Amino acid sequence: MGLEDDLNGMFAESVHELSPPIGEMVAEGKRAGRKRLRIRRTLQAAGAAVAVAAVVTAVAVAGPRPGAAQAEGPAAAGTAPPSAVGPSAAGPSAASPSAGKGPAGAESGTGTVSPSKGAVAEPGTADLTWQAMTEILSDLLPPGARLGNLNAFGVKYNTKPNQRYIELEYDDGHGPSTVMLTVSQGGPPSPVTCETWQGGSDEGTRKSGYEAPLCRTEQLPDGGRLRMFVTGTDVAGLYDEMMDLTRPDGTTVQVVAANGTLDQYTGQKGVPITVTRERPPLGLDGWKALVQSPRWQLKVPQSVVDSGRAFAESVTRFPCPDGAKKGDCTID
């Protein structure tokens, strides 16, 4: 494929998964840079296929596109062209502890997802909110979960009538990780297979403690499908684990977790990235258990919405980006 086809593919898949409006991507270099990073991470885990001219601006502002990769197993040798993006000089931001959680102590990169609390206590009659998602996530994470630095800008522009999204940091005591979680329904199925996935190439150093890139699909007994990925590294050495569950009713639950943090808002130029740990928290088995929780629904009990509203007040937020339009970070 030529460059234009590749860019087309990047845009199509990013829209399918987690993309903000095109106008927001093209406007304002800082915001375009951050969005390109989110899109690139989604594409690493989901592959690519069709474009519009507007995305050229966003990619040009932010840096190189991800390179092609082998399906299954380690990535092919070689790296993408060098980029100006580098690790942020600032350390990871402090995360606020989730209410009711015990001390962290699990080994880095592993963890046991807690049993689903109150999964079917009452029928789902209210729309799932971002606040409820934060509380459900906290309930399911292992004891010691610390959630903070919610990205309100990302939540606003990736939340749609049939899609709910949160992006925040999770710290298990071994270094914070940016986690992106989406619950959606009714979108077209992704055309990506492990044969067409393009997310396993390394742009930066892959340390000996990192997992090898992989793409694997699993059919579940209930007719659902799991897709799981370990991506290639970014230029700063950041990589992701991704778990994507599609249920028979068309509901999709997707989580992406990194071995570092994004959007630190340090005031430095470029796209701040801080690699904080060898591996993302929980591991693929942990994220697999988490996305399969029956609590992830677009209709939830009213009590979940009410308690989520109170819980979300304990989760710190990133400041709104410099240059953002009025209301860009208003999500309450």
Side-chain angles (χ1 to χ4, degrees):
M1 286 194 296
L3 175 61
E4 184 176 353
D5 290 334
D6 286 346
L7 293 173
N8 266 344
M10 291 171 65
F11 181 75
E13 186 61 11
S14 66
V15 167
H16 173 67
E17 301 288 357
L18 301 174
S19 91
I22 299 171
E24 294 298 330
M25 294 171 62
V26 177
E28 301 174 17
K30 272 189 180 180
R31 300 199 298 172
R34 286 198 314 280
K35 292 216 186 22
R36 178 264 173 191
L37 183 54
R38 269 197 281 279
I39 291 169
R40 196 190 78 76
R41 293 179 64 208
T42 301
L43 292 171
Q44 281 186 312
V50 195
V52 291
V55 93
V56 176
T57 304
V59 174
V61 167
R65 65 181 177 84
Q70 295 173 229
E72 301 273 356
T79 59
S83 164
V85 177
S88 169
S93 304
S96 349
S98 296
K101 300 296 181 184
E107 179 185 353
S108 179
T110 64
T112 302
V113 172
S114 303
S116 180
K117 177 176 87 177
V120 289
E122 56 183 290
T125 57
D127 290 335
L128 178 67
T129 61
W130 71 264
Q131 294 99 326
M133 288 179 72
T134 62
E135 184 174 34
I136 294 170
L137 177 62
S138 177
D139 287 346
L140 295 176
L141 288 170
R146 295 170 60 87
L147 299 178
N149 286 339
L150 179 89
N151 185 337
F153 185 90
V155 170
K156 177 167 185 175
Y157 287 105
N158 287 296
T159 294
K160 303 173 179 65
N162 291 314
Q163 177 173 295
R164 299 291 184 271
Y165 173 86
I166 55 173
E167 177 181 327
L168 39 61
E169 289 177 11
Y170 164 51
D171 192 346
D172 59 0
H174 299 281
S177 164
T178 291
V179 173
M180 295 180 276
L181 176 67
T182 307
V183 180
S184 61
Q185 189 171 45
S190 171
V192 176
T193 66
C194 287
E195 287 70 34
T196 61
W197 180 58
Q198 297 183 1
S201 291
D202 291 333
E203 293 179 8
T205 301
R206 178 168 292 276
K207 298 180 181 178
S208 59
Y210 288 9
E211 304 156 272
L214 69 80
C215 173
R216 188 165 71 239
T217 301
E218 179 181 335
Q219 291 297 134
L220 301 177
D222 66 358
R225 183 188 68 162
L226 275 168
R227 295 188 304 161
M228 54 201 80
F229 304 86
V230 174
T231 72
T233 59
D234 210 323
V235 291
L238 179 144
Y239 77 96
D240 299 313
E241 293 175 343
M242 172 181 162
M243 189 66 56
D244 183 291
L245 168 66
T246 301
R247 297 179 184 147
D249 67 357
T251 300
T252 296
V253 184
Q254 181 193 85
V255 64
V256 181
N259 66 328
T261 56
L262 309 179
D263 289 331
Q264 296 295 308
Y265 298 130
T266 61
Q268 298 184 19
K269 294 182 178 180
V271 182
I273 301 171
T274 305
V275 174
T276 59
R277 52 193 297 144
E278 287 288 288
R279 299 186 177 198
L282 289 193
L284 289 176
D285 287 344
W287 296 119
K288 176 180 176 180
L290 187 137
V291 299
Q292 291 185 85
S293 169
R295 297 188 69 184
W296 300 121
Q297 306 287 343
L298 286 175
K299 289 290 185 181
V300 295
Q302 182 63 47
S303 60
V304 174
V305 172
D306 295 340
S307 62
R309 186 180 299 111
F311 174 83
E313 292 180 359
S314 71
V315 180
T316 59
R317 299 187 192 181
F318 273 127
C320 202
D322 292 340
K325 292 187 254 183
K326 185 178 180 180
D328 274 352
C329 297
T330 302
I331 56 177
D332 296 312

